[in-house]
Amino acid sequence: MSMSSAAPSPTPARRLPLAGVLRVGRPSDIWFKPALSVVVAVGVPNLTLLALGRLDLAMYTMAGSLCALYAHNLPYAARARALAWVVLGMLAAVAVALVTASLTSSAVVLVAVGALLAAAQKALCDATRIGPPGPVIFAFISSASLFTPQTLGQVPGHLALAAAAGAWAWLVGMAPGLVRPHGPERRATARALNAAAAYAEMSVAPSTAASAAASAATSAATSAEASPTASAGRERARAAGAAAVHAAWQSLFATGARSEPRRALERLVVRAEIALAAPADTDPGRLRTWARDLRGTGPVPSVEPASAADELLGVEAERAAGRRPLTDRLGPLLPLALRTALGCALAGYVSLALGVGRPYWALVTAASLYQANITLTWSRGVQRVVGNLVGVLLFAAVAPLAHLGPAALVLCCLAFNFGAEALISRNYWLGSICVTPMALLITEFTGFQRPGELMTDRIVDTVVGALVGFAAAVAVTNRRAGDRIENALDTVERAREHTARLIAAERPAPGALDAARRSLAAALVELRATADAAAGEWWQRAVPTERVLLAERTGHRTLATAVRRQGLHALEGTRA
């Protein structure tokens, strides 16, 4: 049966989940980096303003300081560029907000501008794949700036404060590179090795289980029932391994010059690729040992290239590292941008109609909900509401301490900054528990306020933003999701056929097979992400599940054949 002729199966309606939405997971392996960075980036400007007696200007320095939350997974060469763009994007958003605030005091206009800014920030953050915390920080700062009274004459000075704090945040983000210059790409390589080891272990397990089953004379029916589950698990592990390897190569591509540490990391990523192609010939324990060695500050484990193809892989792979233009990546994101604009605007207007004094909180709540599909948006909404409600209770407990004086207020904010980044990778609602009191305390930089009023406004805006924001997500369906799957399937098929032709060729051009193989790997990663996003939408035509699975299966087999064609599967370093 050809891939194109496989009939799509009906996709059952997905229920909006409750179980597991609040489950606490393991923390990110680098949770302490953004946590410490934001404390330093926020602390120095705020303590300086405190010493000068101008804590009322802290909101403007926060705009630049919070840029330190971004780009922690990127190699430092790429991080320098990404952080610079983050700071410039933040300054542009704040400039629009402050100028608007200086020209009008109409809350209706301010909410509309805030909604449009949030939509643009959502689209650009997703298109550039800047990563966590995504557009939420931009929306929070720009929306708050819109509702801060201004005059045109004050705008340049306030922007200068944000720019100075942004420059400091850039330095804070780049500082770890002085101690561990290859840290991000080492971590990416370690993830690839661990993912490949997991797949190798799962691939060997079925034969072991089968032998045990045969000796125990278990029933054929039980084996037949277990087989699809085991096969699906292996496919998921292989897809996860391919994604991790692809991410590792992208990290290495972003490092710039091919220094000796980078060459050593390339050879380790090659070993991860080989494990995916020939799991039976792989020693998972050795892969995991290399991964553990990469976590420290010692030298990169030395793995000598055993063939010319091994070394060639890291050189010719650069040819397939190109990315689509930004305009091409923005197109599929228009439904999400429309959801964001509509949801944020409606949330803000409902908050205004209810007489809440800070409608931008409802706007930001709505902006924080929108994920890749309806199912994930629902989960984020539940997490946001639970986290904010608990956070309001925490603010009630901390407010008497924070009101002891400006210094106590600044220190409490710094503590919540750290707590938010330390907890948010475990689950979004845990981070929100700290984000909520921090946001409430920031409003008091210009003067202490009545806690009861702040808490009431926050609760109302949270509920309004979550309900109205999710309703907008339901109303604006992503009708392009099905088209994106078809396009992704076509891309995978073209890349697979091209790779297969090069495999069959007697003497392919130097580097051609490697570049084709890497393009196919990238297409498979994109297909899985596209299929997962579409599966969480509703009011869509059925997702062609069989076609996606068949495309992934044949694509990964072609990748494995390409590796064997290059002679990489026989490298001594991967054998048990």
Side-chain angles (χ1 to χ4, degrees), residues 156-177:
H158 292 163
L159 285 177
L161 286 172
W168 170 243
W170 188 94
L171 292 173
V172 171
M174 296 300 297

Side-chain angles (χ1 to χ4, degrees), residues 182 185-186 189 193 248-249 251-253 255-273 294 299-318:
H182 300 286
E185 52 267 41
R186 286 171 68 117
T189 302
L193 290 167
W249 278 119
S251 181
L252 290 171
F253 296 155
T255 60
R258 295 184 71 239
S259 60
E260 183 51 38
R262 172 180 158 171
R263 291 174 185 270
L265 291 170
E266 287 175 359
R267 291 192 282 270
L268 290 172
V269 179
V270 169
R271 294 310 192 275
E273 286 192 297
L294 287 174
V300 177
S302 178
V303 182
E304 294 301 324
S307 71
D310 189 5
E311 185 67 19
L312 180 66
L313 183 62
V315 180
E316 296 299 336
E318 302 279 2

Side-chain angles (χ1 to χ4, degrees), residues 13 41 89 111 178-179 255 285 294 316 324 348 389 405 467 517 571:
V111 167
L178 299 174
V179 179
T255 60
L294 287 174
E316 296 299 336
R324 290 183 299 162
L389 294 180
L467 291 177
R517 183 165 60 89
L571 292 180

Side-chain angles (χ1 to χ4, degrees), residues 272-504:
E273 286 192 297
I274 297 166
L276 296 177
D281 296 328
T282 298
D283 178 4
R286 181 173 296 182
L287 296 180
R288 294 191 186 280
T289 298
W290 287 334
R292 284 194 298 271
D293 292 342
L294 287 174
R295 298 292 184 179
T297 57
V300 177
S302 178
V303 182
E304 294 301 324
S307 71
D310 189 5
E311 185 67 19
L312 180 66
L313 183 62
V315 180
E316 296 299 336
E318 302 279 2
R319 299 182 181 181
R323 300 181 66 183
R324 290 183 299 162
L326 181 61
T327 52
D328 291 348
R329 283 177 273 146
L330 280 172
L333 297 172
L334 290 180
L336 291 178
L338 182 57
R339 281 179 180 177
T340 305
L342 178 63
C344 291
L346 290 178
Y349 292 140
V350 171
S351 179
L352 282 175
L354 293 175
V356 178
R358 296 172 180 81
Y360 63 88
W361 278 349
L363 189 155
V364 174
T365 295
S368 70
L369 302 185
Y370 299 115
Q371 306 299 302
N373 56 49
I374 288 288
T375 304
L376 294 176
T377 297
W378 162 263
S379 298
R380 179 55 56 88
V382 173
Q383 293 163 352
R384 178 86 180 189
V385 170
V386 172
N388 279 16
L389 294 180
V390 177
V392 166
L393 296 178
L394 181 58
F395 170 76
V398 171
L401 174 63
H403 288 177
L404 292 177
L409 178 63
V410 170
L411 293 177
C412 285
C413 282
L414 292 178
F416 285 128
N417 267 298
F418 182 88
E421 295 309 311
L423 294 174
I424 203 163
S425 63
R426 288 181 173 269
N427 194 303
Y428 183 82
W429 75 273
L430 285 176
S432 295
I433 291 176
C434 291
V435 170
T436 298
M438 180 184 69
L440 294 172
L441 291 174
I442 288 174
T443 64
E444 301 194 304
F445 281 162
T446 56
F448 295 141
Q449 302 179 45
R450 289 177 292 181
E453 180 180 335
L454 284 176
M455 294 165 61
T456 301
D457 284 355
R458 184 69 177 192
I459 291 172
V460 172
D461 280 338
T462 293
V463 175
V464 167
L467 291 177
V468 175
F470 183 73
V474 172
V476 182
T477 59
N478 187 2
R479 300 186 181 278
R480 298 187 180 188
D483 294 336
R484 290 187 65 195
I485 288 185
E486 295 294 334
N487 294 335
L489 284 167
D490 291 342
T491 300
V492 167
E493 181 61 13
R494 288 194 300 268
R496 190 194 66 79
E497 291 177 350
H498 177 56
T499 305
R501 285 195 297 270
L502 290 175
I503 291 172

Side-chain angles (χ1 to χ4, degrees), residues 178-206:
L178 299 174
V179 179
R180 201 163 181 252
H182 300 286
E185 52 267 41
R186 286 171 68 117
R187 289 192 297 272
T189 302
R191 294 187 192 106
L193 290 167
N194 281 325
Y199 172 64
E201 290 169 344
M202 291 191 69
S203 298
V204 173

